Amino acid sequence: MRYVSTRGAAPAVGFTEAVLAGLAPDGGLYIPDAWPTLAPNAIAAFAGRPYAEVAADLIGRFTGGEIPDADMAEMCAEAYATFSHPAVVPLTQIAPGAFIAELFHGPSLAFKDVAMQLLARLYDHILGRQKRRQTILCATSGDTGGAAVEAFRGRANVRVVALFPEGRISEVQRRFMTAADEKNVACVAVAGTFDDCQAIVKDAFQDNVLRQAVDLSGVNSINFARIAAQIVYYFTSAVALGAPHRSVAFCVPSGNFGDAFAGYAASRMGLPVTRIVAATNSNDILARAFQDGRYARGGVAATQSPAMDIQSASNFERLYFECVRRDGVETARAFTAFAEMGAIEIPPQALATMRELFTGVAVSEAQTARTMTATLNETGQMIDPHTAVGVAALQMVGDLGAPVIAFSTAHAAKFPEAVQAATGQTPALPGSVAALAKKPERFDRLPADAAAIKAYVRAFAES
Ligand SMILES: *Cc1c(COP(=O)(O)O)cnc(C)c1O
């Protein structure tokens, strides 16, 4: 298996190279040259197997033989042993035909752990073999940074710089990053939005001098290994509800579209998925794109679900590439225009293809709060505001002709202010992380300026 760039102007590479590079050198995103497919009996055979084994099987199909199967099995076993629930991603029922898949049982209490715990082990494995050291630069809307710091802190071959938008993430989210005292971790509060942070990361990746000087790598959801790891829980949760004999639908709280795109991949791989609802908060670029066919940036508003305060959904480029029949020249044209003008029209045929699988729904702040309260009253379950966006969207779209699985992407205790404001109750932090509140914080502050941040990254990597 080889990985091609969505912009068609970079050479195809193998799995390990695609993982270490993050973004392709032509500014595109790597995507497999063909999707592996599973026959129904292979999917049915996942029933009852431990999560880590299903993960090793599915992710192993993307490595093109570059990682020995036994090593992949060991890395998956270790990665998912860090989760506090033996099922790793358990399902609970919230209404007839409606379920929640709890993706938040990892060390930083958000779904980013599912991919990041594996990614850190993959990096260690690959870099160790290559006797190489890399610098990971990551922009975070709140949860990626914490998951990356949790997964990579103290690892010998990697330094991590996490950029977060100052004042736009929750205190608990911030503490998951800033409490780390390992020397290979640096956190930077950027005076700007998440989109600013993400643009600076893209700028850094296109700076070949910096890229080589610090051996730059990225673990944002532009990294295909994250997508591969996120495909797994689509399979395990669907199989738990009777797939492949029965179809299922998913409702995915979306920001950068990495999680929802993994669902597209699962569907291409043979999982019977009737529909994927991409649920956004009032930062609704994705919802509008599927509704109107115009992918157009708006201003970023701060909401109760900050991990989704995004108006430039990186992974949408992967779906676009697929839906323009893998035309790299057209994808490059469109996303260069988007970067310059902030808006593109989706070609009608591509939009029709997207709509065969995706529905976009935007959820208001009031609906999000009401859904937290209603879910608590009706089921006794306290859900976080991101999950509430998904559950609200599930209720808004109505019958999808199949059981619906809404992803619960964060533990309620990661957003105590929002949960308390909506429900009047304060979720307790699990014991394992309650100590965070007392740890000293360590971070630097910088303006939203690419040159300043690149100089900082270089100095840190060379220190
Ligand atoms: C990152 C994140 C999302 C959005 O996921 P994308 O892959 O960026 O669409 C949703 N909820 C939470 C809690 C997150 O951390």
Side-chain angles (χ1 to χ4, degrees):
M1 172 174 295
R2 308 288 290 170
Y3 286 80
V4 295
S5 166
T6 51
R7 301 202 183 176
V13 298
F15 177 75
T16 53
E17 205 175 327
V19 170
L20 296 188
L23 205 62
D26 60 358
L29 281 70
Y30 284 118
I31 192 162
D33 58 1
W35 295 106
T37 53
L38 284 81
N41 62 352
I43 298 174
F46 289 150
R49 280 175 65 198
Y51 187 91
E53 285 180 27
V54 179
D57 179 321
L58 285 169
I59 300 164
R61 294 170 194 254
F62 286 96
T63 61
E66 292 185 8
I67 311 273
D69 287 348
D71 294 354
M72 180 61 81
E74 192 181 318
M75 286 188 272
C76 287
E78 271 186 27
Y80 297 114
T82 67
F83 279 59
S84 62
H85 196 294
V88 182
V89 178
L91 280 184
T92 61
Q93 187 161 14
I94 53 167
F99 299 81
I100 283 183
E102 296 179 353
L103 303 178
F104 56 73
H105 292 282
S108 79
L109 308 184
F111 95 94
K112 305 293 195 297
D113 291 322
V114 177
M116 212 63 82
Q117 284 295 324
L118 179 67
L119 203 58
R121 289 167 174 84
L122 269 175
Y123 267 78
D124 247 8
H125 185 271
I126 300 169
L127 294 175
R129 274 195 317 193
Q130 297 186 2
K131 305 215 181 322
R132 187 168 160 192
R133 248 182 165 209
Q134 282 199 312
T135 305
I136 288 172
L137 178 59
C138 110
T140 181
S141 56
D143 290 327
T144 298
V149 168
E150 270 297 328
F152 284 95
R153 67 194 165 92
R155 292 190 186 264
N157 305 319
V158 182
R159 288 170 196 246
V160 182
V161 179
L163 308 178
F164 64 89
E166 177 148 36
R168 289 174 182 259
I169 64 175
S170 82
E171 181 186 339
V172 181
Q173 285 181 311
R174 190 185 68 233
R175 285 183 180 275
F176 269 111
M177 289 183 269
T178 58
D181 54 10
E182 286 82 358
K183 285 206 178 61
N184 72 325
V185 173
C187 303
V188 181
V190 176
T193 64
F194 169 69
D195 286 343
D196 294 330
C197 296
Q198 188 157 250
I200 290 166
V201 169
K202 282 203 174 152
D203 182 305
F205 271 92
Q206 278 163 24
D207 179 335
N208 284 328
V209 176
L210 177 74
R211 195 169 164 148
Q212 276 162 25
V214 307
D215 200 345
L216 204 58
S217 188
V219 295
N220 279 101
S221 54
I222 51 178
N223 193 310
F224 188 79
R226 277 188 53 186
I227 306 286
Q230 289 167 7
I231 291 169
V232 177
Y233 46 72
Y234 280 90
F235 277 88
T236 57
S237 57
V239 166
L241 293 186
H245 314 296
R246 188 154 74 141
S247 299
V248 292
F250 291 93
C251 193
V252 187
S254 297
N256 232 339
F257 200 59
D259 207 3
F261 183 76
Y264 170 85
S267 146
R268 291 293 304 267
M269 291 169 74
L271 192 69
V273 180
T274 62
R275 188 140 296 274
I276 298 173
V277 179
T280 72
N281 62 28
S282 55
N283 298 291
D284 58 351
I285 181 168
L286 284 167
R288 285 184 286 110
F290 293 125
Q291 286 163 13
D292 322 335
R294 214 174 120 75
Y295 181 67
R297 214 170 8 232
V300 178
T303 71
Q304 298 160 87
S305 48
M308 309 195 299
D309 290 350
I310 295 175
Q311 288 277 18
S312 170
S314 295
N315 279 285
F316 189 67
E317 179 168 338
R318 286 190 164 112
L319 182 67
Y320 190 95
F321 175 71
E322 288 284 355
C323 295
V324 296
R325 305 193 174 96
R326 298 198 152 214
D327 181 342
V329 175
E330 161 54 20
T331 308
R333 183 207 61 75
F335 285 86
T336 309
F338 178 74
E340 281 162 13
M341 265 98 76
I344 51 174
E345 303 293 332
I346 303 168
Q349 163 272 325
L351 181 62
T353 309
M354 290 175 185
R355 285 176 172 165
E356 286 169 14
L357 188 61
F358 287 100
T359 299
V361 175
V363 176
S364 72
E365 289 293 276
Q367 283 168 307
T368 305
R370 271 202 304 274
T371 305
M372 283 189 267
T373 309
T375 306
L376 181 60
N377 291 342
E378 289 163 14
T379 70
Q381 239 176 300
M382 224 184 254
I383 57 172
D384 97 293
H386 302 79
T387 306
V389 167
V391 171
L394 180 157
Q395 290 160 351
M396 286 159 73
V397 292
D399 188 5
L400 295 174
V404 192
I405 299 164
F407 287 158
S408 179
T409 50
H411 192 294
K414 209 160 178 186
F415 301 93
E417 299 87 354
V419 174
Q420 154 75 33
T423 66
Q425 295 190 34
T426 307
L429 265 182
S432 57
V433 292
L436 266 188
K438 297 197 192 73
K439 287 201 184 152
E441 294 190 78
R442 192 171 62 91
F443 65 95
D444 294 305
R445 285 196 174 85
L446 287 175
D449 173 59
I453 289 172
K454 289 193 292 186
Y456 176 94
V457 170
R458 185 146 188 179
F460 174 66
E462 288 167 357
S463 67

